[in-house]
Amino acid sequence: MQYNPGWNNSSVNLLHVRAVGPSDTLHYVWSSIGAPTVLLVATESRSSALRVNWTQLLSPAPAGAIWIDPPSSVVYSTAVVFTKVFEYSEAKTLEELFYPTYDLSGFSWDSINHTLNHTALTAEFTGVPATDPSGSFSNGSLAFRVTAYEAGGRDGPLPSLLHTANSSKVEFVLAGVAPRGNSSRFVLEVATVEETGVVQRLRSARSIDDEYTPTIFEMLSLVAESQNDSSTLSFLQWKATAYGSQSPRREDSIQCRSHGLQAANWTLPVSGIVHAYFGEGVGSTYTISAINISFGGEDGRVYQEKRYLSWSALLGFGQPPKDTFSPLVISIMAVALGTPMVMLLVGSCVVVFAQRKRYSEYEPIN
C-alpha cells in the first residue's frame, strides 16, 4: 500500500494497493480527488508499476496524468465512482420528497495518512460537504473505509462477506449526520466506467442458508462481462442489507434495495483519477453505467433513532465469490431430511417382515 506515491503533500488523497501474483499484478487506486473513486487495473506483468504526473493530475486538464508502466501489460481496467447521496422522505400522499443532493465531488476530505494501517491493510476516507447550509454535518461525517486482502477468507463483522485475495472491501458509513426529515431514507449512487465491448449486468442470487448473515437470503452482484466470450472481468458484490450500529447485530439490520442498472446519459461528476487514466473519452469511447442503492426500513426510522448507517461491498477481478453450504448446515439438512427417510425405510421393513411372519403360521392347503 502506497499513499500519494511521489508526492509529499497530504492535502489530497491517493492510495495505491498493489497485489503481485505468480505472473500478473492487480492495481487498486483509491482517491478522493473529486468524487471518491477506485480504479482497478489488471496487468500480465509482475513488475508493472503505477505512474502519476502530479502537476498534471491536479491541473484543470488531468487527462493522461495516471498510467501503468509498461502500458502494454494492461489487460483490463475499470473504475467505480461513488457520485452522490440522495436523501428523501415519503409524504402522507405517498409522494417522495427529495432534499438537496449531496454531491460527493464537492466534499472536503480529511487526509487518510493517519488512518492508514499497513498491517491490517485498511484506510478511511472521511469527508463533509464543503458547504452545509442545513447544518446536517455539524456533528457527523460520511466515510468510505477500504480494506485489502492478502488471502481468501470471511469477514468477522456482519454481513460477513466471503472474499478472495483478488478482491477488496469498501464500507460506506454515515455517522452522526442529522436527517432533514422525520423519516429520511438515503440513496447512494454508484457509477462504473467500462471499456468498449464490456457490459454491466446486475445479478441476484438467493439462498436458504443465512448462517453468516442471519435473516438475509439475497446476494447482489454487479458484474462486468465481455461481449466477446461472456467471461466475467470484474464485480461489485453486496448482501441486501445495511446496519445501524458500529458493532452490527441481526437486530441492527437496515433494509437495502437496488434500483435498476441504467446506462448513464449524463456527464460523470468530476473524478480526477477517472479522467486522468481514461482521458477525455469517458462517456464516448468508454461507457458509463449507474445504479442506486437505497437504505431504510418501511418507515425509515432506524437511522432516525441511531444516526448510524453502514453498508459493505466487495469489489475485485474475475468471478465474484460464491457462498456454499457450510458443513454445519449440510449436517442439519442431512439430519432433517435423512431422519424421515430412515424412519420410512425401517417402518416399511417392519411391516413387510410382520406380514410374512403372520402368513407363515398357516399350513399350505394341498
Side-chain angles (χ1 to χ4, degrees):
M1 299 179 74
Q2 298 174 294
Y3 174 63
N4 288 353
W7 185 255
N8 293 324
N9 194 325
S10 60
S11 60
V12 294
N13 291 317
L14 189 147
L15 175 64
H16 176 216
V17 181
R18 182 169 175 263
V20 182
S23 59
D24 57 1
T25 304
L26 305 179
H27 298 269
Y28 295 85
V29 185
W30 301 85
S31 177
S32 59
I33 301 174
T37 303
V38 55
L39 173 68
L40 294 85
V41 183
T43 70
E44 55 184 3
S45 168
R46 296 188 78 251
S47 59
S48 60
L50 175 72
R51 306 299 183 196
V52 182
N53 182 329
W54 282 97
T55 302
Q56 187 176 353
L57 177 61
L58 300 178
S59 72
I66 293 179
W67 70 98
I68 298 294
D69 190 23
S72 59
S73 66
V74 176
V75 293
Y76 173 70
S77 56
T78 183
V80 178
V81 188
F82 302 96
T83 53
K84 299 175 182 178
V85 172
F86 302 98
E87 181 183 351
Y88 71 97
S89 60
E90 287 188 354
K92 293 182 179 179
T93 59
L94 297 181
E95 294 181 355
E96 295 176 346
L97 172 63
F98 278 84
Y99 300 97
T101 303
Y102 293 120
D103 189 338
L104 300 186
S105 64
F107 271 46
S108 175
W109 301 91
D110 295 341
S111 171
I112 67 169
N113 200 23
H114 65 281
T115 66
L116 188 59
N117 188 323
H118 289 273
T119 302
L121 302 178
T122 58
E124 183 172 329
F125 296 80
T126 304
V128 296
T131 58
D132 185 22
S134 65
S136 297
F137 279 80
S138 57
N139 295 313
S141 64
L142 180 152
F144 291 93
R145 295 173 181 166
V146 175
T147 304
Y149 299 109
E150 291 182 310
R154 185 182 296 276
D155 275 354
L158 293 176
S160 304
L161 293 173
L162 180 68
H163 60 79
T164 69
N166 292 346
S167 59
S168 295
K169 186 181 76 170
V170 59
E171 184 181 0
F172 167 66
V173 178
L174 276 179
V177 178
R180 290 172 286 184
N182 292 329
S183 57
S184 284
R185 306 177 192 181
F186 293 92
V187 179
L188 175 64
E189 182 183 78
V190 183
T192 62
V193 180
E194 293 291 349
E195 302 169 339
T196 303
V198 179
V199 295
Q200 288 280 350
R201 302 191 188 280
L202 181 63
R203 298 175 180 172
S204 174
R206 294 182 179 272
S207 171
I208 62 172
D209 184 4
D210 68 338
E211 177 185 2
Y212 299 107
T213 312
T215 73
I216 306 302
F217 301 95
E218 185 179 16
M219 174 79 81
L220 294 124
S221 300
L222 186 60
V223 298
E225 294 182 352
S226 171
Q227 288 181 315
N228 296 330
D229 54 10
S230 298
S231 60
T232 302
L233 303 173
S234 65
F235 64 87
L236 179 71
Q237 184 185 61
W238 65 96
K239 288 283 186 75
T241 185
Y243 292 94
S245 171
Q246 295 186 37
S247 302
R249 298 169 298 174
R250 184 182 65 179
E251 53 267 33
D252 299 319
S253 178
I254 296 176
Q255 191 175 55
C256 171
R257 292 178 178 173
S258 302
H259 302 270
L261 176 66
Q262 295 182 351
N265 55 0
W266 62 88
T267 303
L268 186 71
V270 178
S271 173
I273 66 170
V274 166
H275 290 284
Y277 182 82
F278 292 101
E280 300 300 331
V282 177
S284 56
T285 307
Y286 301 94
T287 58
I288 303 172
S289 302
I291 187 171
N292 287 339
I293 301 170
S294 67
F295 314 100
E298 294 300 326
D299 57 2
R301 295 192 178 277
V302 176
Y303 182 83
Q304 182 80 21
E305 296 171 357
K306 300 187 178 181
R307 300 284 178 93
Y308 190 89
L309 168 67
S310 169
W311 171 77
S312 299
L314 200 70
L315 51 88
F317 298 89
Q319 288 281 358
K322 291 184 178 180
D323 264 320
T324 57
F325 289 115
S326 67
L328 174 62
V329 173
I330 292 175
S331 301
I332 293 174
M333 292 176 63
V335 171
L337 299 177
T339 301
M341 293 299 296
V342 171
M343 293 178 65
L344 180 62
L345 181 61
V346 171
S348 300
C349 293
V350 169
V351 171
V352 171
F353 178 76
Q355 288 179 340
R356 287 184 176 180
K357 184 177 180 181
R358 179 174 50 184
Y359 286 109
S360 65
E361 294 177 353
Y362 294 89
E363 292 292 336
I365 300 176
N366 188 347

